Amino acid sequence: MAKHKTPLLDQLESGPWPSFVSDLKLEAEVRAKNEKNVNYQIPVEVVEDLLGVLELSFTDGETHWKHGGIVGVFGYGGGVIGRYCDQPEAFPGVAHFHTVRVAQPTGKYYTTEFLRQIIDIWDMRGSGLTNMHGSTGDIVFLGTTTPQLEEIFYELTHDANVDLGGSGSNLRTPAACLGQSRCEYACYDAQGLCYDMTMEFQDELHRPAFPYKFKFKFDACPNSCVCALARSDFSVVGIWKDEIRIDQEAVAAYVGGEFAPNAGAHSGRDWGKFNIQTEVCDNCPSKCITYADNKLTINDKECVHCMHCINTMPRALMIGNDRGASILCGAKAPILDGPQLSSLLVPFIKVEEPYTEVKDVVENIWDWWMEEGKNRERLGETMRRMGFQKLLEVTNTKADPRHVQEPRHNPYIFWKADEVDGPWERDVNEYRKRHQR
Amino acid sequence: MANVEFMGKSFEVDEDGFLLKFEEWTPEWVDYCKDGEGIKELNEEHQKVLDFLQDYYKKNGIAPMVRILSKVTGFKLKHIYELFPSGPGKGACKMAGLPKPTGCV
């Protein structure tokens, strides 16, 4: 018998999509029965009380969590999001309901053995509820008490060999698309780079030393399956420099209808016979593809690597062999001065172990931003305040037409003193000799 | 919210053990906190960090950025964690009596 009545939440058990309410109720039941004889370290009724407090929020349309919360483990300045219910007497099971961020493997590939191991820890020392995964990538353990934090941390590190993720004004947990593990578009080992960078910058991840948060994300091609361009201050996106490889026989198979366009992604509706002219050539943003005499040709010098033709005919068109990545900077959500996507900083960089070139760019940016960034100012905002030119200078990057979508249209142009003839300091009397008042 | 009694003093604190009022801070508060913050014995370096945090807070009404704390005390972040294992925010600011850090933590 449920502890609290939840008529509003109960409605969310109907419908075809997996119901989080049904799942919560199931977990509440499992905890109440405790058939595995778990020595629960936080209130058994934590899940019941979570449902109760959520129902209350549904009823009055307001959150019932207090402001903020500062808890953690010794040695680290982040990793745990503290949270307290503002109705602790009514819902004692969630009086403390802290969230623990756990570092996830890049690409989120798991063995059941590992998942069972960490969930055993969490069943005993937490609510048993999770978020798989947080938007930044972490495994999220939802709901435990302060005294359990060090215990959980001890068991995660000693038994499961896994660390906490990041939170606060620091490097947050990096994430990558699944890259070369199962995608033929991958231009570099996104998972390899993600893992290496995560390990390299553990200090920056665990002990906040930055003006504000900073995120890495790694996409192995411009399709951007981990949304690096929109959701990371430092976005690495795979790219190639040479020609798209064309298999003319496979092109003919698409034209002939043997291969479905877009690997059958649009098979749910009849879009007619595949038309290579309208679906590929005409859709090319730089119009550099032609199909004539049963032959597809691409003027690669004009190709902008948008991926459209490759996405449409994956069995006929392949990424080039001279591969690397572009680095883009500054993406952020709206607060404070408006949303930003990342801006292109390094058009092409080789991505090879030990990834020294990529790390150099990061470290140069950090040296600058840690010194110049204001309190709670994202890199994207520092770039806007101090100018893109400054970012180029600190990363030793030569300005290039590819750095802009279009040149400025206002004439408020700054010059450095050594770029103009004569010093800035001029004598007005000299001027007056030629120009009377 | 709770009241903490220690060595004849009374402190009003929140769930995370932060003082609700900076004015209630007394040297006894530091003694009271140190065990919970994993500190055995306070030395001059601890004191230097606490003094600076309090001065800065009185002058500016906010806690300093980590970088400024490092610069003024001359302690690298690594050393600050050696002094205060839970870090400058949860450790040092709490002991100095500053308000709880807020924002996306």
Side-chain angles (χ1 to χ4, degrees), chain A residues 66-67 69-72 74-77 80-81 84 167-168 172 206-209 211 213 370-371 373-376, chain B residues 1 15-16 18 35-38 62-63 65-67 71 77-78 81 85-90 100-105:
Chain A
K66 289 189 187 180
H67 179 73
I70 291 289
V71 289
F74 284 154
Y76 290 3
V80 186
I81 320 303
Y84 303 95
S167 72
R172 300 295 184 87
H206 292 306
R207 285 169 280 278
K213 63 178 110 170
M370 285 174 72
E371 198 55 42
K374 292 186 176 179
N375 196 16
R376 301 239 165 135
Chain B
M1 307 301 138
E15 292 94 340
D16 293 320
F18 279 76
D35 289 348
E37 291 303 324
I62 54 165
M65 289 167 72
V66 170
R67 210 172 57 250
K71 234 184 221 168
L77 187 60
K78 186 163 171 274
Y81 273 87
S86 41
K90 183 181 170 292
K100 179 153 77 181
T102 57
C104 187
V105 295

Side-chain angles (χ1 to χ4, degrees), chain B residues 26-101:
Chain B
T26 67
E28 287 81 7
W29 172 252
V30 177
D31 275 336
Y32 168 73
C33 283
K34 69 179 186 348
D35 289 348
E37 291 303 324
I39 298 167
K40 284 204 188 80
E41 208 60 54
L42 246 73
N43 61 28
E44 283 167 22
E45 293 185 332
H46 289 103
Q47 201 55 52
K48 188 172 175 187
V49 171
L50 296 178
D51 288 346
F52 170 67
L53 288 174
Q54 296 193 325
D55 287 348
Y56 192 94
Y57 180 70
K58 283 179 202 155
K59 221 174 277 174
N60 301 291
I62 54 165
M65 289 167 72
V66 170
R67 210 172 57 250
I68 295 169
L69 177 66
S70 279
K71 234 184 221 168
V72 175
T73 57
F75 302 148
K76 292 220 162 84
L77 187 60
K78 186 163 171 274
H79 189 61
I80 294 176
Y81 273 87
E82 284 164 6
L83 297 171
F84 298 93
S86 41
K90 183 181 170 292
C93 281
K94 181 198 279 187
M95 293 176 79
L98 269 59
K100 179 153 77 181

